[in-house]
């Protein structure tokens, strides 16, 4: 019998995420696992090393909640919406305490996941020659090309204790299908020791197997699959709901004032038991304000062997 | 901050600084094949270029989108409108590894807080490295784009000795000059920054290992004004011209078709 891996979000976080762990929550502007991040906050985890290429609002929230000791990232702003003020306060003013930061470029960060996913100690890339980044972050190093070419920079494998990603759908065994911007999700799931995947929809196995190329994360790489509709809000899920740009813009003034930010966490994270309650609390805003129209792909024919 | 040069199109409609920069940047994309575009001013510029000087410009985004055909204006490089109807959406290894590092991007379009005389960029921090006065967004894809794109175009929203200093506070994305100084064997394949567009003029760097030179001044701006607001002794190009004004059609497209909600236009 194939193991059924469906779990509740609180259960999965409680079982796999421990204080002091290195935890990756990935999703490149798309499919950001906000619900899981909020659950980690609610359960009071401490001293996490948070890995995210683009920290986004979820990092600002988790750091403000006192969950994170160290941030490993390749961008320190919020896409279109500007500064992450909690991150900036911690780095610029050490307020309320310093935040340890390990900084890469996007491809450098991605190569770290790729190395770990592939069972390699490091990964080479042609960035950083002449940059100050290797001096700021001594994890970025240079090796000689053993085949006689120019030296090349390398980044070390990054194997999170736990990886969390969000996706459109999965079957109950944990075969995960996602589309649109796929970010580092496949690599980071294979890089991690444990993987929790939250999804908009749990579908029948036959739905997954009707389009196997879309299964970017096979069940063998997944420890828990969680049905969590709306789990990426205020980021988006291609074909399900759009990015809540109004919320992203509202975040800047909230995060600028520590008291307002703490009040927001009290109301919207600690003040709700789970994602369903969070969505209900959004009221008429959800899902009307972020609804998207239909734009179907044409089905492909995988064919079948004739008898 | 220096005064921002504004200009007027042929029919005397006032043009904002953002509109002016977007038009100048769009014209730089004439004849280019594949551009790696960021968000903000580059979004406006690539859209305008496709509607004017270069209908076949291929837009590549670091989120993995190739050949975007957005039905609306993108709010960010990972916007869903870039995905729907795109030619391709690829993995990050394909995008950064094969498309970019493999040498398939002609132009990288970057912003920066500081640019030095050789076109090295600082997008990381201002002040002390360990405790900066301003923590900037960092590299994102910039340190990967700089060595690997055929050339880079930088747009600055200000032109003063803070944005164009003699020495960077931090070098995030190095010019070929810095890369060569770090190790003569590590010369990147790309040209580095070829063009810097500022509110005062256009600086160009025709030699891969040379310095930026003032090539264009915007209408109403003097050469002296540009030099005084640059942190090093800025050389002049052999042919120094005045930037052509935006046309009435450029401005109409920006306002009425590209950024109708005034997301980036100010």
């Amino acid at each position: 019998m194939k193991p059924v891996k469906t779990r509740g979000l609180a259960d999965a976080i409680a079982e796999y995420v421990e204080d002091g762990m290195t935890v990756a929550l990935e999703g490149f502007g798309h499919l950001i696992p906000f619900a899981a991040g909020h659950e980690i906050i609610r359960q009071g985890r401490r001293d996490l090393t948070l890995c995210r290429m683009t920290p986004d609002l979820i990092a600002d929230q988790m750091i403000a909640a006192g969950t994170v000791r160290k941030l490993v990232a390749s961008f320190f702003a919020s896409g279109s919406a500007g500064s992450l003020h909690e991150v900036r306060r911690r780095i610029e003013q050490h307020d309320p305490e310093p935040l340890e930061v390990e900084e890469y470029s996007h491809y450098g960060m991605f190569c770290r996941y790729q190395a770990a996913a592939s069972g390699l100690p490091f990964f080479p890339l042609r960035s950083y020659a002449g940059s100050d980044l290797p001096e700021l972050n001594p994890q970025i190093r240079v090796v000689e090309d053993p085949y006689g070419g120019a030296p090349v920079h390398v980044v070390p494998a990054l194997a999170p204790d736990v990886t969390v990603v969000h996706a459109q759908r999965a079957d109950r065994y944990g075969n995960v299908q996602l589309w649109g911007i796929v970010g580092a999700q496949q690599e980071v799931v294979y890089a991690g020791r444990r993987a929790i995947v939250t999804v908009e929809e749990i579908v029948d196995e036959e739905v997954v197997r009707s389009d196997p190329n879309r299964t970017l994360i096979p069940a063998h790489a997944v420890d828990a699959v969680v049905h969590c509709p709306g789990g990426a809000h205020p980021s988006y899920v291609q074909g399900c709901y759009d990015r809540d740009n109004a919320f992203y813009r509202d975040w800047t003034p909230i995060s600028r004032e520590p008291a307002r930010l703490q009040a927001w966490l009290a109301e919207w994270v600690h003040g709700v038991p789970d994602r369903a309650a969070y969505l209900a609390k959004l009221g008429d805003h959800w899902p009307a304000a972020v609804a998207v129209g239909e734009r179907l792909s044409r089905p492909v024919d995988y064919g079948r062997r004739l008898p | 901050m220096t005064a921002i040069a504004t200009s007027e199109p042929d029919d005397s409609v006032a043009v904002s600084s953002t509109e002016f920069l977007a038009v100048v940047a769009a014209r730089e994309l004439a004849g280019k094949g594949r551009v790696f575009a960021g968000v903000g001013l580059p979004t406006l510029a690539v859209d305008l270029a496709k509607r004017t000087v270069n209908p076949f410009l291929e837009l590549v985004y670091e989120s993995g989108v190739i050949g975007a055909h957005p039905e609306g204006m993108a709010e960010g490089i990972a916007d869903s409108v870039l995905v729907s109807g795109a030619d391709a959406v690829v993995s990050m290894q394909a995008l950064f590894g094969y498309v970019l590092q493999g040498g398939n991007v002609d132009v990288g379009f970057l912003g920066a807080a500081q640019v030095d005389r050789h076109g090295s960029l600082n997008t990381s921090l201002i002040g002390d490295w360990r405790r900066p006065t301003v923590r900037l967004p960092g590299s994102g894809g910039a340190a990967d784009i700089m060595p690997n794109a055929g050339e880079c175009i930088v747009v600055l929203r200000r032109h003063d000795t803070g944005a164009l200093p003699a020495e960077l506070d931090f070098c995030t994305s190095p010019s070929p000059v810095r890369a060569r100084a770090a190790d003569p064997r590590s010369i990147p394949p790309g040209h580095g920054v070829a063009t810097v567009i500022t509110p005062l003029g256009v600086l160009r760097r025709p030699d891969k290992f040379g310095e930026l030179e003032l090539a264009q001044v915007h209408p109403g701006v003097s050469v002296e004004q540009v030099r005084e607001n640059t942190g090093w002794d800025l050389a002049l190009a052999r042919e120094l011209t005045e930037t052509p004004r935006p046309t009435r059609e450029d401005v109409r497209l920006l306002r009425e078709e590209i950024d109708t909600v005034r997301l980036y236009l100010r």
Side-chain angles (χ1 to χ4, degrees):
Chain A
M1 279 287 284
K2 284 193 283 189
V4 171
K5 293 176 178 169
T6 44
R7 299 286 296 274
L9 182 56
D11 279 358
I13 299 294
E15 178 169 349
Y16 295 120
V17 181
E18 298 169 17
D19 289 354
M21 278 186 164
T22 296
V23 177
L25 273 71
E26 278 297 349
F28 196 82
H30 175 218
L31 298 170
I32 299 175
F34 270 92
H38 287 185
E39 185 56 33
I40 291 171
I41 293 173
R42 260 195 301 274
Q43 294 194 15
R45 292 295 179 279
R46 288 284 178 276
D47 295 324
L48 299 183
T49 293
L50 175 64
C51 310
R52 261 193 70 71
M53 295 178 68
T54 56
D56 204 273
L57 273 48
I58 190 61
D60 224 26
Q61 293 167 2
M62 291 176 74
I63 292 165
T67 307
V68 178
R69 183 181 59 78
K70 178 177 179 181
L71 178 63
V72 184
S74 48
F75 195 66
F76 294 82
S78 155
S80 59
S83 286
L84 299 170
H85 286 286
E86 179 67 21
V87 172
R88 284 188 59 179
R89 260 193 305 279
R90 297 285 296 271
I91 296 175
E92 294 168 6
Q93 296 157 38
H94 296 185
D95 173 20
E97 54 186 333
L99 175 71
E100 198 181 332
V101 166
E102 197 174 304
E103 179 171 1
Y104 298 85
S105 62
H106 278 342
Y107 191 45
M109 186 82 178
F110 177 83
C111 286
R112 293 200 62 193
Y113 292 138
Q114 190 160 233
S118 312
L120 290 170
F122 56 81
F123 209 91
L125 67 160
R126 194 174 53 207
S127 305
Y128 308 129
S131 171
D132 284 334
L133 280 167
E135 198 178 329
L136 186 70
N137 175 5
Q139 290 286 83
I140 302 172
R141 298 183 189 170
V142 181
V143 295
E144 289 295 323
D145 175 356
Y147 303 100
V152 65
H153 279 80
V154 291
V155 290
L158 172 52
D161 294 307
V162 181
T163 286
V164 187
V165 299
H166 188 74
Q168 278 95 341
R169 68 190 187 193
D171 64 23
R172 61 204 176 110
Y173 308 111
N175 290 300
V176 180
Q177 299 199 320
L178 56 152
W179 54 93
I181 290 162
V182 297
Q185 277 94 313
Q186 186 181 52
E187 292 77 11
V188 76
V189 163
Y190 275 103
R193 206 165 53 76
R194 298 284 188 188
I196 301 170
V197 183
T198 58
V199 293
E200 291 295 318
E201 192 184 7
I202 299 282
V203 295
D204 193 87
E205 190 184 353
E206 287 307 313
V207 175
V208 167
R209 287 167 55 195
S210 75
D211 194 3
N213 275 124
R214 215 174 298 282
T215 309
L216 297 192
I217 304 169
H220 67 236
V222 174
D223 294 280
V225 60
V226 176
H227 184 217
C228 188
H233 177 271
S235 79
Y236 76 102
V237 176
Q238 192 80 35
C240 294
Y241 48 91
D242 219 338
R243 189 172 189 260
D244 192 345
N245 289 314
F247 182 88
Y248 270 81
R249 282 190 287 271
D250 288 348
W251 184 254
T252 304
I254 293 170
S255 77
R256 194 175 277 129
E257 292 176 47
R260 251 186 104 177
L261 174 42
Q262 292 303 325
W264 187 90
L265 290 171
E267 182 178 355
W268 288 92
V269 181
H270 295 291
V272 295
D274 55 25
R275 180 80 351 182
Y278 167 98
L279 296 178
K281 190 173 162 58
L282 286 171
D284 294 341
H285 190 73
W286 178 267
V290 290
V292 292
E294 197 173 75
R295 186 162 177 171
L296 295 173
S297 74
R298 198 166 134 180
V300 297
D301 188 356
Y302 281 88
R304 79 177 353 129
R305 179 79 41 90
L306 292 171
Chain B
M1 282 280 274
T2 51
I4 276 166
T6 54
S7 181
E8 291 177 346
D10 310 333
D11 68 340
S12 300
V13 175
V15 176
S16 75
S17 173
T18 302
E19 288 167 339
F20 194 96
L21 290 170
V23 170
V24 174
R27 289 174 181 166
E28 292 294 328
L29 296 170
K32 308 294 185 188
R34 204 165 295 120
V35 62
F36 204 109
V39 81
L41 254 169
T43 308
L44 298 175
V46 296
D47 198 336
L48 183 61
K50 277 189 75 121
R51 292 166 195 259
T52 53
V53 297
N54 192 343
F56 300 108
L57 186 65
E58 185 177 316
L59 310 183
V60 175
Y61 292 87
E62 65 186 10
S63 52
V65 177
I66 294 171
H69 303 281
E71 287 182 332
M73 202 184 55
E75 282 201 45
I77 48 90
D79 195 309
S80 63
V81 298
L82 297 173
V83 171
S84 298
D87 294 349
V89 181
V90 300
S91 71
M92 294 208 118
Q93 173 55 25
L95 197 283
F96 281 101
Y98 317 147
V99 177
L100 179 60
Q101 195 171 256
N104 296 290
V105 171
D106 301 313
V107 180
F109 215 133
L110 302 171
Q114 294 183 324
V115 183
D116 78 5
R117 69 177 70 209
H118 297 119
S120 287
L121 308 182
N122 174 15
T123 53
S124 292
L125 54 89
I126 300 295
D128 182 76
W129 285 19
R130 301 291 162 187
R131 190 167 174 174
T133 51
V134 183
R135 173 65 233 199
L136 299 164
S139 165
D144 310 311
I145 295 166
M146 179 71 90
N148 293 313
E151 64 179 285
C152 290
I153 298 175
V154 176
V155 181
L156 296 180
R157 282 187 179 271
R158 42 182 271 208
H159 187 141
D160 54 35
T161 55
L164 294 135
E167 297 286 340
L168 303 179
D169 288 35
F170 184 91
C171 175
T172 314
S173 306
S175 65
V177 177
R178 276 187 70 118
R180 183 177 64 179
D183 188 324
R185 298 170 297 168
S186 294
I187 293 170
H191 181 97
V193 172
T195 309
V196 180
I197 299 163
T198 82
L200 298 182
V202 178
L203 317 185
R204 295 192 194 280
R205 212 172 60 88
D207 176 357
K208 181 167 176 174
F209 297 100
E211 288 194 13
L212 287 161
E213 304 170 345
L214 180 61
Q216 284 173 226
V217 287
H218 299 333
V221 177
S222 71
V223 170
E224 264 323 292
Q225 194 184 342
V226 179
R227 287 168 54 94
E228 279 168 16
N229 284 289
T230 303
W232 66 89
D233 189 14
L234 178 63
L236 304 184
R238 212 143 46 84
E239 279 188 59
L240 180 60
T241 60
E242 183 176 280
T243 308
R245 292 165 189 269
T247 66
R248 179 180 170 72
E249 179 63 1
D250 289 330
V251 176
R252 189 193 69 76
L253 286 168
L254 282 172
R255 292 179 186 173
E256 294 173 25
E257 295 196 23
I258 295 171
D259 190 1
T260 54
V261 298
R262 296 288 196 274
L263 182 64
Y264 302 123
L265 287 178
R266 298 174 203 166

